[in-house]
Every structure is written in C-alpha cells, then in structure tokens.
Amino acid sequence: MTGTILQISVSKGGVPKNAIPAGTLTLTGLEGDHQAHTDIHGGPKQAVLLITAEGIAELAALGFPLTHGSLGENLTTSGIPRREWRTGQHWSIGPEAVIEITKRRAPCQVLNIYGPGLQAAIYDSVAAAGDPSSPQWGLSGFYAAVVRPGIIQPGDEIILVP
C-alpha cells in the first residue's frame, strides 16, 4: 500500500495544528510540536498522530468545520483507506523515516470545539474494541512511534513496509 503525506502539522499544544513546509521526525515526535495534555498525549509510543484526508472530508461532509490539522493530527495522509490502518504496521515516509502504528486514538473533549456529536461521529464502541468493521474505524486517527527518524515533507510517499 502506498499513499502520500498531504500535510505536516504542529502546534504549541491543542488543536488545530498548523501546516509546516517540512518536518523532522525524532523518536519523541515532530520537532517543534507540543501537546497540551502530556499525561495522555505524546511520548515515544504516541509520537505522531496520523489521520486520512479522506476521513476529514467525510466528516466535513457531515457538517463539521474541519480542515487538515483540525483534529490534532501531525500527518494528514491521502490514498490509503482509513479501514486499512492497523496497529503493528510499519510505514516508511520519504527517503529516511519509518513509523510503527501503535494504537487507535480515542477522541477527547477538546474536539468538542468543532461541534456536538463529533466524538460519536469518529469513534464508537466497535472501533474502541479494535474491530475494523466499525463504520467509524480510522476516523479518529492512529498514533505511531518513530522507528527511524528523518526529514519529511508534504508530497512524500508513505509506503507499507512488508
């Protein structure tokens, strides 16, 4: 499976995250990115958050005022269906970086700024149980650890490592 990194985003903490022209992935995340609640976000197993552009478009079509970076994702991808993402997968990004999907993201109340019902629209009990048959599978995104650091930029390919 192959897709593209559409946007790389960072913030001083919280949402939305804002686009940057390129980023350096380190073992603890994107250089320059910060989390508002470090007790539940960040760390080496949750170094970056990935969400598909297609998923964001689905939610925007439901009336939620979302754009790339709105949901707090560091990497907005395109071309890989959200239902194909699984924990344990390794993905190469650009010429250097490799990440490993570590867990599904459970949405928090910070996302309520985009309207009531967003949390229910992106995450249900079936997705929470780890079942990809959920209609909401992947809409909340996936956390990843950085296996091999590197410089990444929009337009880089993201490729599933066999």
Side-chain angles (χ1 to χ4, degrees):
M1 267 185 286
T2 301
T4 304
I5 300 294
L6 288 185
Q7 182 169 303
I8 301 167
S9 304
V10 298
S11 74
K12 301 259 186 236
V15 296
K17 291 192 182 281
N18 300 303
I20 57 174
T24 301
L25 274 178
T26 71
L27 294 176
T28 56
L30 264 172
E31 218 170 69
D33 188 46
H34 302 280
Q35 292 79 36
H37 304 284
T38 55
D39 53 325
I40 54 175
H41 298 294
K45 295 288 186 189
Q46 297 177 161
V48 292
L49 177 64
L50 295 89
I51 294 181
T52 68
E54 295 86 354
I56 293 169
E58 286 178 55
L59 295 166
L62 295 175
F64 296 105
L66 302 175
T67 61
H68 302 164
S70 292
L71 296 174
E73 76 274 14
N74 301 112
L75 304 177
T76 309
T77 67
S78 177
I80 301 165
R82 63 182 172 84
R83 294 180 180 278
E84 300 299 321
W85 296 88
R86 301 287 188 278
T87 58
Q89 290 175 330
H90 284 71
W91 295 85
S92 67
I93 304 173
E96 304 172 323
V98 176
I99 61 169
E100 176 185 353
I101 304 301
T102 55
K103 69 184 275 189
R104 294 171 315 284
R105 182 244 208 132
C108 66
Q109 63 191 14
V110 170
L111 299 180
N112 291 343
I113 63 168
Y114 300 113
L118 178 60
Q119 289 186 61
I122 66 175
Y123 201 72
D124 62 8
S125 61
V126 179
D131 185 346
S133 71
S134 163
Q136 282 90 358
W137 183 262
L139 284 172
S140 62
F142 292 91
Y143 284 113
V146 177
V147 176
R148 188 170 64 222
I151 296 171
I152 60 173
Q153 58 190 359
D156 278 349
E157 283 189 316
I158 180 168
I159 303 167
L160 181 63
V161 178

